[in-house]
Amino acid sequence: MNEIKLFMTLFLIELEYSLKNRKAELLKISFHSDEANTDRALKEYLKNLIENKCNKLDKYKNIKRIDLHNNEVKITTYNISENIRNIFIDKVFLKEEITDDIKKKLKKNKRTVYTNPDICLRINNNGKILYETIELKSTKNDAIPGSSVQQIEPEGFVVFIKHTASDIEIATGQYLNSINSKIQFPDRSPRPEVSFKELDEWNKTFRNIQTDSIAFGKDDQKTEKAELINDWQEVLADRWVDILFGEENKNKIPWFHTNMRKFILSFLDKYEKLNKEQKEAFKENVIKNIEKDRG
C-alpha cells in the first residue's frame, strides 16, 4: 500500500470513531424526501463533518504500523511514517460537485468502469494534492443491492450506516468486506449485495486495533468474494447450473428459475438432434464467442 492508501485505512477508522460519538446528531438526519429514500442529508452531514471536525488523524495518530495478512500465512507490515500522520483532507466534494478535471484524475487511477463516487476527498499529502473516493451505503435493515459488478473497486473504501428511528450503527472499511456473496439476477448488470452486518462482523473478527498498531487478519472468504467480482460470469453460470439440478419446494420461486428450466428443455431438444460432429462444432463455436466477447 502507498502512503495515501495507508492514510485512508487509518482515516476510515478515525471517521468511524467520530461518527459513533455523534449518534445523537445522526439520529436527527432525515432519510426521506417526498416519500423516497435518500442519502442527501447524510452526505451533506459527512461533508461538513470531514471538512470541519474530522479531516486528519487524531485518536489514531499514534499508530506506528499496520500488519496485513495476505491469502497465505504471510504478514506484511507497513510502518506509519510521520509523513503519513501529517496528511489531511482540505476539501470534500459530493457527486454533483466533482468537476471534469477531478473526474479525469479519478479515471486515471481507476481500473474499473468509472461512475461518480458518493464522496470525493481532496487530500493534502505534505503539499501534494491527491484525490480518493468513498462509497456511502445506508439501510434500515441489512443487505441492499451494491454497485454494478463492473464498477466495483474491491479495495475501495465504504462507509456503511444502518439506521432506525431509535438507533444508528456505523461500520467502515474496504468495499470487498461488505459483500455477502449474494448476487442478484441481472437486468442490465449483476449487482452483488452488500450488507452492514457483513462489514460490521468482518471488522469485529479481522480488525484488531491496539494502542500503536492495527492488524487485519486472514479472511478465507476473501478469495471467494474476489472471484464474485473478477469472474462473476463463471460464478453466475455455476449457480444457474445448481438451480437446474436442484429441487425447490418454496412457495414463491423467482421467475427466472422457471425461465431457465424452460430454456434448458428447449436447448436440449435442439441439441440432442445434432450428430456428434455437429455437437463438437457447436461447443467450439460457443467457446470462440466467449473468447471474442472477452476481447
Side-chain angles (χ1 to χ4, degrees):
M1 287 193 284
N2 59 31
E3 286 188 340
I4 294 301
K5 294 297 182 185
L6 289 169
F7 166 77
M8 284 296 297
T9 300
L10 293 173
F11 175 74
L12 262 287
I13 299 173
E14 185 84 43
L15 181 59
E16 181 180 311
Y17 173 81
S18 183
L19 288 169
K20 285 180 176 179
N21 282 337
R22 291 175 167 83
K23 285 189 176 184
E25 293 179 8
L26 289 167
L27 280 169
K28 296 177 182 177
I29 292 175
S30 173
F31 290 88
H32 301 277
S33 177
D34 298 328
E35 298 184 0
N37 293 328
T38 175
D39 289 333
R40 177 67 196 182
L42 178 59
K43 291 174 185 176
E44 291 175 347
Y45 177 87
L46 284 172
K47 173 184 170 73
N48 180 66
L49 174 67
I50 295 172
E51 285 186 340
N52 299 299
K53 298 177 182 178
C54 184
N55 67 343
K56 59 184 179 180
L57 301 180
D58 183 18
K59 178 176 174 59
Y60 298 102
K61 192 168 185 177
N62 293 324
I63 296 296
K64 295 178 181 177
R65 72 175 193 276
I66 293 176
D67 296 324
L68 181 65
H69 288 249
N70 61 16
N71 288 338
E72 300 171 357
V73 294
K74 184 179 178 183
I75 300 175
T76 303
T77 295
Y78 297 93
N79 293 317
I80 305 302
S81 66
E82 191 64 27
N83 198 55
I84 293 172
R85 283 190 278 269
N86 289 331
I87 294 173
F88 66 94
I89 297 161
D90 68 3
K91 184 71 176 175
V92 178
F93 301 94
L94 300 184
K95 187 177 294 187
E96 65 278 7
E97 298 172 332
I98 300 173
T99 65
D100 289 339
D101 184 54
I102 295 174
K103 288 179 186 177
K104 288 179 183 178
K105 291 180 171 67
L106 293 175
K107 288 178 181 179
K108 188 176 180 181
N109 297 321
K110 195 172 178 67
R111 293 173 294 176
T112 56
V113 175
Y114 176 82
T115 184
N116 280 346
D118 294 316
I119 296 171
C120 175
L121 309 178
R122 187 170 71 192
I123 301 173
N124 189 316
N125 182 7
N126 297 276
K128 184 178 180 181
I129 300 300
L130 299 160
Y131 295 89
E132 266 294 347
T133 63
I134 296 176
E135 288 299 307
L136 174 63
K137 302 295 182 185
S138 70
T139 177
K140 291 189 292 184
N141 299 306
D142 180 45
I144 56 174
S147 302
S148 167
V149 71
Q150 293 99 331
Q151 298 170 350
I152 293 173
E153 285 191 271
E155 296 181 356
F157 302 102
V158 62
V159 172
F160 216 135
I161 292 181
K162 182 179 177 181
H163 59 91
T164 64
S166 59
D167 193 24
I168 290 278
E169 297 179 74
I170 302 104
T172 66
Q174 285 188 343
Y175 194 97
L176 181 67
N177 298 328
S178 70
I179 294 175
N180 66 7
S181 298
K182 292 182 181 179
I183 186 168
Q184 293 191 343
F185 185 84
D187 49 357
R188 291 169 297 174
S189 178
R191 298 177 68 187
E193 273 190 359
V194 291
S195 158
F196 174 85
K197 182 179 178 182
E198 191 80 15
L199 181 57
D200 192 44
E201 288 298 322
W202 193 96
N203 286 342
K204 291 174 182 176
T205 304
F206 298 106
R207 190 180 71 183
N208 183 17
I209 303 174
Q210 300 295 326
T211 304
D212 64 349
S213 68
I214 297 175
F216 293 96
K218 181 189 175 188
D219 178 9
D220 292 329
Q221 290 188 329
K222 206 157 191 173
T223 300
E224 178 186 340
K225 290 181 179 180
E227 287 176 355
L228 185 66
I229 297 169
N230 298 326
D231 201 3
W232 58 271
Q233 292 167 322
E234 192 73 30
V235 172
L236 273 180
D238 289 342
R239 291 184 182 181
W240 291 345
V241 169
D242 289 341
I243 290 169
L244 290 170
F245 280 90
E247 294 184 7
E248 291 184 312
N249 298 316
K250 299 177 182 178
N251 293 327
K252 189 175 181 181
I253 298 172
W255 66 266
F256 61 88
H257 288 205
T258 301
N259 193 249
M260 279 193 293
R261 291 186 173 99
K262 288 187 175 183
F263 160 76
I264 201 64
L265 288 174
S266 179
F267 165 78
L268 288 172
D269 184 58
K270 189 169 185 176
Y271 182 75
E272 287 171 351
K273 292 175 183 177
L274 303 176
N275 60 38
K276 184 177 179 181
E277 289 75 19
Q278 289 172 323
K279 288 179 179 178
E280 287 300 319
F282 171 77
K283 288 169 68 176
E284 289 176 7
N285 189 53
V286 170
I287 292 170
K288 187 187 301 181
N289 284 331
I290 289 173
E291 292 173 348
K292 190 185 298 181
D293 292 340
R294 288 175 174 172

